[in-house]
Structures are given as C-alpha cells and as structure tokens.
Amino acid sequence: MSRQVKIVLCGLGNVGKALLELLAERGGEIESRYGVRLILSAAVDIGGAAVGNDEGLPAAELLAHLRVGNAVEAFGSFAQPGKTGKETIDEVEADVLIETTPTNLIDGEPGRTHVFAALEKGMEVVSANKGPIVLFYQEIHELARQKDCGVHISAATAAALPTLDVGQVCLAGARLLEIEGILNGSTNYILTRMQQDGCGYETALKEAQELGIAETDPSLDVEGRDTAHKIVLIANRLFGISLGPKDITVEGITKITVDDVAAARDAGQVIKLMGTATRTDSGVQLSVGPKRLEEQHPLASVGGSEKAISYLTDTMHRITVSGGKSSPTGAAAALLKDLINAC
Amino acid sequence: MSRQVKIVLCGLGNVGKALLELLAERGGEIESRYGVRLILSAAVDIGGAAVGNDEGLPAAELLAHLRVGNAVEAFGSFAQPGKTGKETIDEVEADVLIETTPTNLIDGEPGRTHVFAALEKGMEVVSANKGPIVLFYQEIHELARQKDCGVHISAATAAALPTLDVGQVCLAGARLLEIEGILNGSTNYILTRMQQDGCGYETALKEAQELGIAETDPSLDVEGRDTAHKIVLIANRLFGISLGPKDITVEGITKITVDDVAAARDAGQVIKLMGTATRTDSGVQLSVGPKRLEEQHPLASVGGSEKAISYLTDTMHRITVSGGKSSPTGAAAALLKDLINAC
C-alpha cells in the first residue's frame, strides 16, 4: 500500500513545468520504486491557481495546457483565477510545498510568504528558490525546527549536482573540515574559455551569453554572488551555522585578465572561481573569489559549465562530486529527489 | 532524549580496531549531532568475545587492551573465552551487527553465519566484509526483506568513497542508465605509474607492493576480481538485480604492456581498469576490464590509488564522485556512516 503525498506547486516557469513533466511521466515508476504516490493537489502561478480534487490535478493535461500558452488559472474545472499562493497553501490540504517562483534577493517574495505559510501548517518545504532561504535562513530554520518539518534545498544549491545530500548522508559521522566548490556554471565556462583559448573576459562572456550559458545581465554570476549564496546555504546546513550573504567576502571574476590566466598556466595552475567554507578555531570562515589551483587539485579538471564540490573531512579525507545537468530538467530532478527523500 | 543503539562487533582486525577508535573518540559528538547513543554491547574475534553490561563495553579501554597484543576474550570481567560470533549474536540483545571479519570468497565464513544469525534476529547489518554479500546476495537480500532489516555495505563497496548512498539518495527519482567505476586503488596506482613513467607492469606492481598499496598476493586486485565484486554489489543494489560473480566478464591488468600505454598516450587517452554496469533492453550488463578513456572523461583524471564512480542518469545527466581515504580508518568511517544512517 503506497503512501499518498499531496503537493502544492508554486511557480510554473521552466523549472515548475519541468517538474510537472516528471510527475506526469514517472509517477507510476516512483510509486512502485519508493512506495510513494505523488498527488499534485494544487498548482499556482502569478495569476491564480488550479486546485485538484481528491485525485489531484492531471499533470500531463495541465502541462499540455500551459505549453500552448494558457494560464494555470484557466485550467478547466480546476481553475481558480486570482487565488494567491498563500491562499492556496492555507486552504488546500497538502503535505509538501514545492517552491519554484523566481528568486528575489531583495525581500524574498513571493517565495518567502509561501515558505512561512507552508511551515506554519506543518508542511515539508522543497525549494528551488534561493531568495527566501538565503535572506531568512535563521527564521526559516527555527520555524521548521519548531514545527518538526524539513526544508529541502538541493535545487537551490547547485541543482542536479548533489551537494547537501553528500554532505549530510555520505559524510555522516566524519568531521567536516573544509568545503570548496565550483558552484556556478557560467563563470566556470568563462574561465575555461579564457584558459583554453587565451581570449579575454569580455569575449568569453559574450560567447557564454550567445550560448545561453550566461544571463543577459550576468552580474549575479560574474560578481560571485550566486556562488556566495550557494556556499552560505551549504555551509549553514553542514556546519550547523546561520550565516547570511553579509557574512562572506566575495570577489568575482570581472577583473581576471589574459595576463592572469597566462601567469597561472605558466605555473601549471588554473584559475577557478571558488566558494570556500573552512572550519577554524573561531568558527567557520566563508569566502568567494578566484583561486589558482594546482593541476592535481580535484577541482582543477572541472571544465566548461560543469560544477563540482569537494569536502575535506578527518576520517574519509577528501570526497569530490562533479557533474549534474544545468537545466530546468536538472533542477526539477533535484526537486523530485528531495521530495522522494523527504517522504 | 537520545535513542540507544546496541552493537555487536564481529572482527577485531585493523578495520574493527579503527571502528573501536571512532566509537571511543566521538561517541559523545555522534550523540549530540544525530541523537543516537551507540553502545558496544559485545565484541568478538576468533578466540572468543567480550560482552558488556547495560552500559556496554568501554571502547577506549578495550582498544588499549587489544593494541598491546591482548585478546578480546581476555578483557577483564567482560571476557568470555571460546564464545563464537554466532553464540554472541544469538545471546546478546542488540540492534546492529557490524561485520569486519576477513573476507572469504570460498564459502563466506565466518561472516556468512554472522550475517544470517543477525538477520534472523531482526538486527540491522553493517558489513565491511564482501564475502557473504558477494556469494549470497540474493539469500541475504531476501531474508533482510522478510525481516524488514537493512543490510548496509558501503564499507564493502569502496569504503570511504561514497558509492551506494550517492546512487540511492542523491539520484532518487532519476533513471540510472550506466555505472562506471575505478573501484580498486592498487590497480589504479599501477596503471598511473605505468602511464606517468613508462615503466612496465612488473616494476609498477613491485613499487605498489613496497609502498603497501598492493597486497603480497595481488591477484584479487590485478585480475580484476575485487573490482568485479564491488561493481556487482553496487549494480545489484542500484538496479534492483541479484547477480553474482559468475554473471560478469572480468579481465585484469596483468597483460597491459608498455606499448599499450604508449599507444593510448599517443591517442590522448589513458588506460583505466573499469567496472561497468549498463542498462540494456534485456537487463543489466556487467563487465570489468581495462578501457581507454578520452582525457575529457570524468574518470580520466583519477590518478594514483584514488577511486571514483560515475553515474549516468536521464534527468541529472552524469554525476561523478571521487576520493575517500583507502585505509582502515576510511573503512571504519564508512561503517560508522552506515550505522548512523541506518538508525
């Protein structure tokens, strides 16, 4: 007998749609492998919601409806135009919130409201949205603890590259000494191109933008802030601390020159944008910045838009994980993984 | 309030002693981090057992006693000379068997008897011993299912390199298409030396033996059987199959010549001993043998005695894990990890 798990999905952008696709395509497989029957009780976007009956919403039909440009709040008999995320979370009986609204690093909204509303109701939270988690880590952590709920953020911390699971499950019982990560694909692509071809930063950035690897406004990535957000979240969880974006020194890659790259190459090194968290006698020190790595360093060979994380522990020594698809499907796969593991 | 978990430890060789050291050194830390109070109820070796009182055996004192060459069955008031592993498991009330007796690939004993006795009693099993698991996978799996117990074999499948956890937890919900692993440290060391220095197989093997990286009788490693055992166990668990050592084609590295290595290098490739499990239309195909990898392959840069595993999935694409200490402490850390995660 499978266990039913009812989901409210907030946010129907590319990641939300990719998750819908996974729910539609492999619900039966998940039920038979994990004994969990996933039911999409409601889906919400900016203009309103669709709320399912006891069987939930038909994910495949909803996806088809959205893909031709229709809004969720116009989804047949399930349509509830104007219903907000908070109203949906408050009114619909469900076990898990999946939060994929756009990341907002000013006030975390609307994700912040969704996350707090879900935790107040005792729901598990699975989030691809970094905003509320980065800005309100301590408050969210505290409320989750009070309500005995989990907040699962794999999709917000390098998506399909497993970072938190590895730190929590695979290193259980070992003492974590240091975390080093190449956590941003577009900056790693730019640096890799500069190193391979000797081209300048602007040329490599332009190429990355043309290929869709870098954003039109790349500042969050190239200034190191995206890496900072990820390393803060990973370090908070794995070192049991509660730091925010203000507690980390951040340097981006915008000042890296052709000469810097050549000097590193001449010394047998490569330049990588590293997020680092180091346990010290006085706590945990966080930083983001370009570093010159020796060729033997396990992150030195991580090229292109690939990401990777390396954990240094006392008893297991160094464990490095690399790869993971950077795409809406990869992020949705990370959401699905957290959802399955949370149940 | 912590949960008490009572342990019977069978086998007090290097790995068993390293586990004792971890229990002695970080019991308090594990209790505060994971809410689990680990109690060593009994420890057994070839000549007999020591059985603790309600508080269990004092791990630090037992370790000190063993380290100066004393036998466990002479450990003060706890001593029970002549008591076998099976008798201890049958008589002592405990939650978990930790099995670290020497791997025996003929009939799996004495580990086989210990594992079946523990499962019959409804105990969880955590094993560093490959023998019984490789030889009796299906029977053990079936009994564990009937008794609703877990059999945790991280320490038998590349020790501190996380293989099974990554496949089970980090890839949850994704479809696994292929597993490729460099799962044996000594053969990877030999191949790396041949590639770096152009030396022959015999020279590299001798060096590995002098450094303690290869065994005096290296046949299990260099003939590929150790890799085969590990890939069989990993594939069984992750693909949900029940294959044995007879279901895999195995080729070792003993026939690799200086010319083979040079030819690979000239083609921009490296030779690695790979264990591979591939999902096909007709099931899962397993093989072990030397393969030429392109430089860009994520396992190509895994050098020296390091191990690594790479998973190809549909939704997350490729995830590669490398590293992990190859030592009794690394194996004990894998046992401790499984123990914590099993609770």
Side-chain angles (χ1 to χ4, degrees), chain A residues 26 29 33-34 160 165 169-170 172-175 301 314-316 318-325 333 337 340-341, chain B residues 26 29 33-34 160 165 169-170 172-175 301 314-316 318-325 333 337 340-341:
Chain A
R26 61 184 64 184
E29 186 176 329
R33 273 173 74 185
Y34 302 101
D165 331 309
V169 176
C170 305
R175 281 182 198 140
S301 60
D314 64 341
T315 51
M316 299 180 180
R318 186 181 282 285
I319 308 272
T320 304
V321 196
S322 62
K325 207 179 210 168
K337 166 186 77 170
I340 291 168
N341 290 328
Chain B
R26 61 185 64 184
E29 185 176 330
R33 273 173 73 186
Y34 302 102
D165 329 309
V169 176
C170 306
R175 282 180 198 141
S301 60
D314 64 340
T315 51
M316 299 180 179
R318 186 180 281 284
I319 309 272
T320 303
V321 196
S322 63
K325 207 179 209 167
K337 166 185 77 170
I340 291 168
N341 290 327

Side-chain angles (χ1 to χ4, degrees), chain A residues 224-239:
Chain A
R225 283 179 287 140
D226 178 69
T227 299
H229 298 150
K230 289 171 183 162
I231 193 73
V232 165
L233 292 179
I234 294 167
N236 277 349
R237 193 56 69 90
L238 298 183
F239 284 114

Side-chain angles (χ1 to χ4, degrees), chain A residues 16-27:
Chain A
K17 284 201 200 81
L19 182 74
L20 271 186
E21 187 171 358
L22 292 181
L23 293 176
E25 179 206 285
R26 61 184 64 184

Side-chain angles (χ1 to χ4, degrees), chain A:
Chain A
M1 183 62 194
S2 299
R3 196 178 137 219
Q4 286 198 352
V5 172
K6 295 184 172 176
I7 299 162
V8 171
L9 171 60
C10 285
L12 291 163
N14 289 335
V15 174
K17 284 201 200 81
L19 182 74
L20 271 186
E21 187 171 358
L22 292 181
L23 293 176
E25 179 206 285
R26 61 184 64 184
E29 186 176 329
I30 287 163
E31 185 168 355
S32 69
R33 273 173 74 185
Y34 302 101
V36 174
R37 184 148 175 251
L38 300 174
I39 294 177
L40 182 64
S41 295
V44 196
D45 210 352
I46 197 160
V51 178
N53 52 27
D54 282 356
E55 289 298 296
L57 296 166
E61 284 85 336
L62 175 56
L63 184 62
H65 170 87
L66 296 172
R67 278 201 173 139
V68 293
N70 295 313
V72 67
E73 67 271 20
F75 185 48
S77 61
F78 306 107
Q80 304 218 2
K83 192 188 275 286
T84 66
K86 176 155 189 345
E87 287 163 357
T88 308
I89 293 163
D90 286 345
E91 291 169 25
V92 172
E93 190 210 320
D95 307 292
V96 182
L97 164 68
I98 298 187
E99 176 33 70
T100 72
T101 63
T103 291
N104 163 349
L105 289 159
I106 309 298
D107 63 6
E109 295 296 357
R112 175 180 181 272
T113 297
H114 299 162
V115 169
F116 280 95
L119 290 175
E120 282 293 350
K121 274 190 76 177
M123 291 166 69
E124 296 282 305
V125 171
V126 176
S127 182
N129 180 353
K130 274 191 272 300
I133 322 288
V134 166
L135 296 173
F136 305 101
Y137 186 86
Q138 193 161 0
E139 296 87 337
I140 289 171
H141 181 72
E142 181 54 29
L143 182 58
R145 204 190 53 74
Q146 278 174 30
K147 299 286 181 176
D148 197 20
C149 296
V151 178
H152 311 274
I153 54 173
S154 290
T157 50
L161 171 73
T163 56
L164 290 172
D165 331 309
V166 170
Q168 292 180 297
V169 176
C170 305
L171 310 182
R175 281 182 198 140
L176 190 54
L177 307 174
E178 186 169 67
I179 310 171
E180 293 181 299
I182 296 174
L183 298 170
N184 180 276
S186 60
T187 48
N188 201 37
Y189 182 87
I190 292 167
L191 291 173
T192 303
R193 293 295 293 137
M194 290 175 73
Q195 259 140 158
Q196 280 173 345
D197 277 23
C199 63
Y201 167 76
E202 292 297 340
T203 309
L205 169 61
K206 191 151 171 274
E207 183 185 303
Q209 287 173 318
E210 282 165 8
L211 290 168
I213 293 170
E215 309 269 346
T216 315
D217 174 2
S219 54
L220 204 60
D221 295 331
V222 297
E223 290 168 7
R225 283 179 287 140
D226 178 69
T227 299
H229 298 150
K230 289 171 183 162
I231 193 73
V232 165
L233 292 179
I234 294 167
N236 277 349
R237 193 56 69 90
L238 298 183
F239 284 114
I241 53 179
S242 283
L243 299 178
K246 292 188 183 87
D247 303 307
I248 178 166
T249 58
V250 181
E251 189 188 331
I253 63 163
T254 53
K255 291 174 193 156
I256 304 285
T257 64
V258 171
D259 288 348
D260 295 333
V261 170
R265 191 191 307 111
D266 291 347
Q269 298 170 324
V270 290
I271 299 177
K272 294 289 180 189
L273 181 65
M274 305 280 282
T276 307
T278 310
R279 187 196 289 271
T280 67
D281 289 342
S282 56
V284 177
Q285 251 185 338
L286 302 177
S287 69
V288 169
K291 275 197 187 171
R292 283 164 65 152
L293 304 185
E294 301 293 332
E295 261 177 27
Q296 299 82 345
H297 191 288
L299 298 181
S301 60
V302 177
S305 62
E306 186 143 282
K307 298 190 288 276
I309 193 160
S310 190
Y311 295 104
L312 185 64
T313 72
D314 64 341
T315 51
M316 299 180 180
H317 199 61
R318 186 181 282 285
I319 308 272
T320 304
V321 196
S322 62
K325 207 179 210 168
S326 288
S327 68
T329 300
L335 289 169
L336 182 63
K337 166 186 77 170
D338 276 358
L339 182 59
I340 291 168
N341 290 328
C343 306

Side-chain angles (χ1 to χ4, degrees), chain B residues 290-302:
Chain B
K291 274 196 188 173
R292 283 165 64 153
L293 303 185
E294 300 295 331
E295 261 177 26
Q296 300 83 344
H297 191 288
L299 298 181
S301 60
V302 177

